[in-house]
Amino acid sequence: MFERPSGGDDAVVVSLMNGKPEADAAVAELRELARSAGVRSVAEISGRSTQPNPATFAGSGKVTEIADALQATGAGLVIFNHELSPGQQRNLEKALGCRVLDRTTLILDIFAQRAQSHEGKLQVELAQLQHLATRLVRGWTHLERQKGGIGLRGPGETQLETDRRLLAKRVKYLQDRLAKLRKQRDVQRRQRDRNEIPSVSLVGYTNAGKSTLFNALTHTGTYAADQLFATLDTTSRRVHTGRGMIVLSDTVGFIRQLPHTLVEAFRATLDETARADLLLHVVDASSPDRDAQIREVDSVLAEIGANEVPQLKVFNKLDLTGLAPGVEMGDCDTIAAVRLSAVTGAGLEHLRAVLDQLAAPSGATPPDGRLEAA
């Protein structure tokens, strides 16, 4: 499906952010995406693009600058921090003489590398095929316009229809398989509902520390690493508190401009988030871009229908900020946020007190959906 960059590839990364204030954060994030894909960023091209070039996205001057960077570094890959049309990608590859990836393809590649479970692999393949299908159709439009003539009858259109049919058949198969897995999740969820076990989902921007916090609360060894999208497969564990039990789930992290095909493909998994009793919104308190990251997460939560689920913000990585652990109070003496470090354990007792209250048999949350101070 997609040609995956092999480990050790060198790349020139390009980010043309239209002069937006978050440009520096976007470049840093693209660098981290490349690193997470096993690619080394050896040169960075940034700038403003008030009107993307229809043929190459970047203007002729920027294309020349990229070509010079390729020659100077010996890199064999260019990664754009934007979504390129099939035509733009082909034109850039022709002009630069190397592979060109856009942001969506890069993220899909990272997901393909990280998926471990059967369901996760199905979800990633579905997202890849849906992305590929749109590019296939657009890439072959010149053949659709053929009306016959010497040497032009049949084969082009036949090949296009064959490819479309094969893609559609595989997409339908994957959708059916994921639908069956979704039904299994529904059965498990109904069983938890019958047992009145509250469910809590960890959500947040990628690399905010969700898996580290999950391990700290469950005393398990879920994979956690300082890289984007270290966790793709949802992991759930029962956690015994002093007053009952909850089911805690670790979920895939979000990112700005998360490809819509990924959101759709992972909808079965994300439904677990939408139906949770409480969302722990884990925030990297050390990130200078944390407010924008919070907005991105809230945007995706709204897209999957989880914006009405009660939410508690957990400001993580205090060990990198020097801030003291504790709680932040909201209206009516309710806890609005918890400050902690999942790595050192500082402040975890405040979060455990909240979860203990949620697990209490007497009715976990007040009618307004907020948690009372412990």
Side-chain angles (χ1 to χ4, degrees):
M1 284 173 292
F2 288 99
E3 185 178 1
R4 178 180 303 175
S6 59
D9 276 353
D10 290 343
V12 174
V13 298
V14 182
S15 185
L16 308 177
M17 290 298 294
N18 302 323
K20 295 179 180 178
E22 65 270 22
D24 290 343
V27 172
E29 187 169 272
L30 179 62
R31 190 187 308 123
E32 283 302 300
L33 281 170
R35 184 177 71 88
S36 296
V39 176
R40 188 166 63 110
S41 172
V42 294
E44 297 175 1
I45 306 295
S46 59
R48 301 184 181 185
S49 178
T50 55
Q51 185 65 42
N53 188 304
T56 55
F57 190 88
S60 58
K62 279 296 175 187
V63 173
T64 300
E65 186 179 347
I66 296 168
D68 291 343
L70 286 169
Q71 186 174 6
T73 61
L77 178 68
V78 175
I79 301 175
F80 272 74
N81 196 25
H82 315 276
E83 185 166 354
L84 302 173
S85 71
Q88 288 170 337
Q89 183 176 353
R90 287 195 303 271
N91 292 334
L92 283 166
E93 289 181 340
K94 183 178 179 180
L96 298 172
C98 70
R99 286 179 299 153
V100 175
L101 300 183
D102 66 2
R103 180 185 176 88
T104 296
T105 306
L106 179 63
I107 292 176
L108 287 171
D109 184 87
I110 295 171
F111 272 59
Q113 292 184 48
R114 300 283 163 74
Q116 297 295 322
S117 71
H118 176 61
E119 183 178 9
K121 291 177 180 178
L122 291 177
Q123 289 170 320
V124 172
E125 184 183 354
L126 177 59
Q128 288 182 310
L129 287 178
Q130 289 173 330
H131 181 64
L132 180 62
T134 59
R135 304 178 80 79
L136 173 71
V137 172
R138 293 172 187 166
W140 287 62
T141 51
H142 64 290
L143 294 176
E144 289 184 293
R145 292 195 298 269
Q146 294 176 2
K147 301 299 183 183
I150 301 300
L152 297 177
R153 294 186 180 94
E157 292 185 12
T158 300
Q159 183 63 54
L160 174 60
E161 292 305 320
T162 299
D163 290 345
R164 280 175 170 168
R165 185 165 56 252
L166 290 174
L167 276 175
K169 183 177 180 180
R170 182 63 179 173
V171 166
K172 180 67 165 59
Y173 167 78
L174 293 172
Q175 290 173 332
D176 290 344
R177 290 288 301 128
L178 288 170
K180 290 180 180 178
L181 292 172
R182 186 173 186 171
K183 289 181 180 179
Q184 294 175 9
R185 284 182 179 275
D186 288 340
V187 171
Q188 295 169 353
R189 189 182 296 115
R190 285 195 295 270
Q191 181 63 43
R192 288 203 306 266
D193 290 343
R194 283 196 295 269
N195 294 334
E196 296 184 342
I197 302 176
S199 61
V200 179
S201 285
L202 294 169
V203 299
Y205 210 76
T206 182
N207 206 27
K210 296 182 300 300
S211 295
T212 303
L213 180 59
F214 180 85
N215 289 337
L217 292 171
T218 62
H219 305 291
T220 55
T222 298
Y223 179 70
D226 182 21
Q227 56 187 198
L228 304 186
F229 301 117
T231 300
L232 289 188
D233 301 306
T234 297
T235 304
S236 297
R237 293 287 185 273
R238 293 193 175 194
V239 177
H240 293 272
T241 72
R243 303 166 69 186
M245 181 188 299
I246 63 168
V247 173
L248 184 66
S249 297
D250 186 20
T251 61
V252 62
F254 302 143
I255 197 170
R256 60 167 58 90
Q257 300 173 30
L258 187 67
H260 185 70
T261 50
L262 274 178
V263 176
E264 284 301 311
F266 276 74
R267 188 165 291 277
T269 301
L270 295 175
D271 273 351
E272 195 78 11
T273 298
R275 300 188 186 188
D277 295 295
L278 175 67
L279 301 180
L280 298 181
H281 183 165
V282 183
V283 179
D284 180 357
S286 67
S287 172
D289 200 35
R290 75 176 193 180
D291 291 339
Q293 293 176 359
I294 290 172
R295 289 193 297 270
E296 289 293 336
V297 172
D298 286 339
S299 176
V300 177
L301 291 176
E303 184 177 350
I304 64 174
N307 51 319
E308 298 298 326
V309 179
Q311 183 183 127
L312 179 71
K313 286 192 173 57
V314 179
F315 291 102
N316 188 28
K317 303 190 181 183
L318 291 192
D319 50 299
L320 302 179
T321 67
L323 297 175
V327 298
E328 297 177 8
M329 306 304 296
D331 299 332
C332 303
D333 291 328
T334 57
I335 296 177
V338 176
R339 301 189 305 273
L340 54 77
S341 169
V343 169
T344 66
L348 273 177
E349 68 276 8
H350 301 298
L351 183 56
R352 286 197 177 100
V354 172
L355 297 180
D356 187 51
Q357 186 181 71
L358 181 66
S362 58
T365 52
D368 62 0
R370 292 174 298 181
L371 297 167
E372 296 175 356

